[in-house]
Amino acid sequence: MSAFTPGPASQPHEPAIHLLNLIRHFPGRGGVATKALDGVSLAVQPGEIFGIVGRSGAGKSTLIRCVNLLERPTSGEVRVLGEDLLLLSDRALRERRRRIGMVFQHFNLLSSRTVAGNVAFPLEIAGVPQAEREARVQEVLGLVGLSQKADAYPAQLSGGQKQRVGIARALAPNPSILLCDEATSALDPETTHDILGLIRQLRDKLDLTVLLITHEMAVVKEICDRVAVMEAGKVLEEGRVFDVFTRPTHPTTRSFIAGTIGHSVPRGTVARLPAARPGEEKRLLQVLFAGPNSTRAVISEASRRFGIDLDIISGRIDEIAGEPFGLMALAAYGPSAKLDEATAWFEELGLTVTPLAEVN
Ligand SMILES: Nc1ncnc2c1ncn2[C@@H]1O[C@H](COP(=O)(O)OP(=O)(O)OP(=O)(O)O)[C@@H](O)[C@H]1O
Ligand SMILES: [Mg+2]
């Protein structure tokens, strides 16, 4: 059977990757198990770039390794392209894995093989005849812009070029799913940008479904359509990237986002702000707004309605996937109850209010 046999046609609207209540426990020291995955359910739609973000130890790698069963879940269902992988024979699973390419943080290239030799490797294992293999290697090296480097060895390549080889190798068997575990974490920001651009371009050209793991919200913001935020083996929240950035619901997500797009105000600036009047409170707030709301009007309206003072410390406009959103740092003065009411009113209008971060 050829390595390029198309998979069974998925049902319309069936997710490309559907994880149901995945649990993965590792035996720990002293008999206390590590719950690397503690009941994760996710559905990734065909053609999506879906990000999973979380701190070290959140369970991201365990999760992505469950998608091709490099890691077997303790319980749960792993449905890929319409099939429950856990029900397949070893032989069938080997064949299905060719539809799932994987890219690694440290590239995992074979140093004794040339670029072409590395890319050919999965095709050799799949038993693809030499002529077909060579043509395919040329083709995928072209896709990642490395045709000129076919005869180079990994040691002669930059980090970005090595990752291009990693991507070409993953794509060689013509998969419909690409898994990326921290694929840009070993790269500088400019090379990260190039590689993310390449992944998006390949998704568009080859109709790939991409599941991408990162600990950086900046990566999610740049490339993902949807995102899930993980902590301690659980998904805290998920949604369209724009929605999760502009309306985060979990404190962990808020802190991730604050580090990426959030305002921070120098301590000196904060120290120079007037003190609250007796019986009143001073709060430093970040207001994040999406869509057409004119915040200036909203802010003066809030002052009038609630009898509070709102000073704009700074403001700026940013963009996610072409959609603009605004960020404003405010100092709010007034009775606590009125500040609470104003915050609730902002939230009702679709603005997101978080405490403002101070920096040195
Ligand atoms: N093979 C294993 N044996 C024992 N414990 C493991 C194993 N693999 C992972 N774990 C534990 O499971 C938890 C989740 O690990 P995982 O590697 O999935 O996290 P991660 O989110 O990918 O972290 P990082 O960002 O550091 O890569 C951690 O507590 C880890 O120590
Ligand atoms: Mg990991």
Side-chain angles (χ1 to χ4, degrees):
M1 193 186 292
S2 158
F4 308 136
T5 313
S10 304
Q11 301 300 315
H13 311 302
E14 175 148 25
I17 302 171
H18 200 175
L19 309 176
L20 292 104
N21 201 19
L22 283 193
I23 293 182
R24 179 63 166 108
H25 291 175
F26 290 108
R29 285 201 202 99
V32 184
T34 304
K35 294 178 180 178
L37 297 178
D38 195 12
V40 172
S41 297
L42 275 183
V44 181
Q45 301 305 327
E48 256 190 327
I49 301 184
F50 193 102
I52 293 176
V53 70
R55 298 201 175 92
S56 190
K60 307 180 298 293
S61 293
T62 306
L63 181 72
I64 209 167
R65 289 162 58 81
C66 280
V67 175
N68 54 11
L69 295 191
L70 284 180
E71 193 74 72
R72 283 194 172 252
T74 308
S75 67
E77 230 177 280
V78 178
R79 297 186 65 81
V80 175
L81 302 170
E83 283 182 308
D84 185 346
L85 296 192
L86 288 160
L87 300 180
L88 297 176
S89 66
D90 288 350
R91 187 196 156 95
L93 179 60
R94 271 198 300 279
E95 198 273 326
R96 298 312 187 273
R97 276 190 180 137
R98 288 177 206 138
R99 300 172 191 155
I100 311 172
M102 191 159 184
V103 180
F104 306 89
Q105 176 175 0
H106 297 295
F107 325 123
N108 298 5
L109 302 180
L110 298 167
S111 57
S112 60
R113 283 184 168 229
T114 61
V115 165
N118 271 278
V119 176
F121 191 63
L123 301 177
E124 289 171 26
I125 290 180
V128 176
Q130 188 177 355
E132 193 182 336
R133 214 162 61 209
E134 283 171 5
R136 181 66 187 156
V137 167
Q138 281 313 312
E139 192 180 354
V140 283
L141 283 179
L143 282 174
V144 302
L146 273 190
S147 300
Q148 306 307 313
K149 295 283 181 188
D151 298 326
Y153 284 87
Q156 300 168 308
L157 303 179
S158 69
Q161 289 171 332
K162 284 181 197 166
Q163 196 54 295
R164 283 172 191 266
V165 179
I167 293 170
R169 178 186 54 193
L171 295 179
N174 202 21
S176 36
I177 290 174
L178 186 65
L179 307 177
C180 304
D181 189 352
E182 302 277 5
T184 57
S185 297
L187 305 174
D188 63 60
E190 204 171 311
T191 311
T192 292
H193 179 75
D194 290 347
I195 293 293
L196 294 178
L198 175 66
I199 291 172
R200 194 192 347 242
Q201 196 188 319
L202 291 169
R203 183 273 305 263
D204 294 343
K205 203 169 188 163
L206 307 175
D207 269 334
L208 293 171
T209 303
V210 181
L211 182 61
L212 175 152
I213 279 178
T214 179
H215 60 273
E216 294 175 283
M217 266 300 197
V219 168
V220 170
K221 179 172 172 246
E222 186 165 340
I223 191 177
C224 296
D225 302 307
R226 287 197 302 143
V227 63
V229 182
M230 276 189 79
E231 189 169 75
K234 288 185 155 68
V235 171
L236 300 178
E237 65 180 297
E238 63 166 295
R240 287 175 62 231
V241 170
F242 188 77
D243 297 337
V244 171
F245 269 79
T246 53
R247 313 235 42 206
T249 57
H250 196 282
T252 297
T253 314
R254 285 171 190 248
S255 86
F256 268 129
I257 289 166
T260 307
I261 60 169
H263 269 65
S264 52
V265 173
R267 280 195 208 288
T269 304
V270 173
R272 283 193 290 278
L273 290 168
R277 285 190 287 268
E280 295 196 344
E281 205 187 317
K282 172 172 74 178
R283 283 187 202 167
L284 300 175
L285 302 174
Q286 170 170 280
V287 177
L288 197 150
F289 57 99
N293 266 330
S294 155
T295 38
R296 188 172 279 277
V298 169
I299 282 164
S300 49
E301 168 77 17
S303 295
R304 275 198 302 278
R305 256 179 197 244
F306 303 101
I308 58 176
D309 289 319
L310 291 169
D311 286 347
I312 299 175
I313 305 171
S314 68
R316 66 184 171 91
I317 299 286
D318 201 341
E319 229 178 54
I320 297 170
E323 286 187 63
F325 67 93
L327 276 172
M328 197 165 285
L330 295 178
Y333 300 87
S336 305
K338 292 292 167 194
L339 296 180
D340 289 345
E341 283 175 31
T343 300
W345 185 72
F346 281 143
E347 296 273 356
E348 221 166 274
L349 291 177
L351 285 69
T352 303
V353 183
T354 46
L356 189 65
E358 283 180 43
V359 292
N360 283 311

